[in-house]
Amino acid sequence: METEKTSEELVRGQAEIWQHMFSFADSMVLKCAVELRIADIIHSHDGAPMTLSQIASCIDSPSPNIPYLTRIMRLLVRKNIFTVHHPSDGDESLYGLTHVSKWLLHGSDLSLAPMILMQTHPSMMAPLHCLSKCVKEGGIAFEKTHGRQVWDFASQNPEFNNMFNDGMACAARIIARAIMTGYKDGFGCIGSLVDVGGGTGTMVAEIVKSHPHIKATNFDLPHVIATAPLHDGVNHVGGDMFQDIPNADAVFMKVTDFIY
């Protein structure tokens, strides 16, 4: 009996290792769905379920590979990102949105699409191969991979900088709503506020929308501020927070911890 139990545990352990080994595929397929705008395609169809042929016809490609798309959608359905309905009359299967896939919509106030593209970008994924090296030698994985910190890398790569800022902005927009719900009365006594490391100003702009009396400053590195859009009631200032920060009644900081 003990031998059988041990054997079963070993098999379960092996199965779990296989799952962990290929879990990266989940992120890559999610990235694929965002890049192909599958959620947007179904959403633009009044949210009504669509066949693979209909979805494929809306993909920006002269000849999309339907069998490959089928495999992609099979995994996305398995992960409950999309739904599938198989008609009993033999017609094509219909794919629909879920409460999960609605977070993949481009241009939505509550979208994680930019963050997905940022986190799965090759430049962000490559440092993960250096984790064991960092344990052995110390240091930061991103620096070991690219020879500089992520902020310096972004300042020298405009395309990466825009993608990084978009990803951080979409997360800030979501977090801001949670903060405004739970701390909505806490900003009433503040006359001025500086968001240190505020990216393109999304977070502090959301605060000012609800509390227009606040004189707000968005403070970040010059190359970040250079791409920041105008926000009503927000003044953008570039600089180094380790050297000096603008004066204000209160300082706001949203800390993001990157393992790399």
Side-chain angles (χ1 to χ4, degrees), residues 51-107:
T51 65
L52 277 179
S53 299
Q54 290 174 318
I55 294 173
S57 68
C58 298
I59 292 176
D60 184 20
S61 170
S63 55
N65 188 316
I66 301 294
Y68 212 101
L69 178 60
T70 302
R71 296 166 62 190
I72 295 294
M73 292 302 293
R74 184 181 298 127
L75 180 54
L76 290 169
V77 168
R78 178 68 180 81
K79 294 297 179 179
N80 298 314
I81 296 173
F82 293 100
T83 62
V84 63
H85 172 65
H86 304 290
S88 57
D89 56 10
D91 287 346
E92 282 192 74
S93 298
L94 295 169
Y95 295 86
L97 299 174
T98 68
H99 67 285
V100 178
S101 51
K102 291 179 180 178
W103 286 90
L104 306 183
L105 296 173
H106 290 76

Side-chain angles (χ1 to χ4, degrees), residues 24-62:
F24 72 91
D26 295 343
S27 297
M28 294 299 100
V29 171
L30 190 62
K31 176 184 181 181
C32 174
V34 172
E35 290 179 332
L36 295 178
R37 294 177 174 261
I38 296 175
D40 297 275
I41 289 171
I42 299 175
H43 180 72
S44 65
H45 193 245
D46 294 327
M50 301 175 67
T51 65
L52 277 179
S53 299
Q54 290 174 318
I55 294 173
S57 68
C58 298
I59 292 176
D60 184 20
S61 170

Side-chain angles (χ1 to χ4, degrees), residues 129-140:
H129 293 280
C130 291
L131 298 184
S132 59
K133 191 173 184 180
C134 288
V135 172
K136 294 177 179 179
E137 304 172 359
I140 300 173

